[in-house]
Amino acid sequence: QVQVVESGGGLVQPGGSLRLSCEVRGNMFRLQDIHWYRQGPGQARIWVAQITRRGDVYYADSTKGRFTISRDNAKNTVYLQMNSLGPEDTDVYYCKAGLSFDSQYYEGEYEYWGQGTQVTVSS
């Protein structure tokens, strides 16, 4: 049983910052690659950032160097630090966690989505 719990979204003024968190709760698992996505009403889900199991990071061009993805393996949590936010960043943000399990019955990797957290940038 795995839960992906997102938090950190909210209302922020242009130029402000938010830090999104995605905590994975469960037992006998190991975090692999983690992605952040965004999705607006009636829109496709768009990739924003990735951090690999080794800590390599990748970003969509739209972040313009403003976002930083990181992970705390001890807490099974991935963060997305978002700075210099503008109205164009308004969306629901989701994390997609790749997991492997310390069990012979669950080999390979599985993907789990968070419930999404609303980010609204407005004055």
Side-chain angles (χ1 to χ4, degrees), residues 25-70:
R25 302 174 180 175
N27 296 103
M28 304 293 289
F29 69 87
R30 194 179 309 275
L31 290 178
Q32 302 297 327
D33 289 14
I34 311 296
H35 299 256
W36 283 97
Y37 289 78
R38 59 182 290 179
Q39 186 174 28
Q43 304 295 315
R45 193 164 294 185
I46 301 173
W47 176 79
V48 174
Q50 175 192 7
I51 184 165
T52 72
R53 64 186 184 276
R54 295 181 174 87
D56 300 318
V57 297
Y58 305 91
Y59 300 96
D61 290 339
S62 61
T63 67
K64 300 179 180 179
R66 300 172 296 123
F67 293 4
T68 302
I69 188 171
S70 61

Side-chain angles (χ1 to χ4, degrees), residues 82-93:
M82 303 186 295
N83 300 322
S84 301
L85 288 167
E88 66 275 10
D89 297 310
T90 295
D91 251 334
V92 178
Y93 285 73

Side-chain angles (χ1 to χ4, degrees), residues 1-6 22-32 34 76 95-102 106 109-115:
Q1 293 182 328
V2 173
Q3 286 184 295
V4 180
V5 182
E6 296 181 334
C22 181
E23 181 185 1
V24 182
R25 302 174 180 175
N27 296 103
M28 304 293 289
F29 69 87
R30 194 179 309 275
L31 290 178
Q32 302 297 327
I34 311 296
N76 289 321
C95 65
K96 183 180 71 175
L99 276 67
S100 63
F101 293 89
D102 297 328
Y106 298 96
E109 294 187 17
Y110 297 79
E111 292 182 344
Y112 292 84
W113 287 94
Q115 79 284 357

Side-chain angles (χ1 to χ4, degrees), residues 5-24:
V5 182
E6 296 181 334
S7 61
L11 175 64
V12 65
Q13 295 183 359
S17 299
L18 288 172
R19 189 181 73 162
L20 308 184
S21 299
C22 181
E23 181 185 1
V24 182

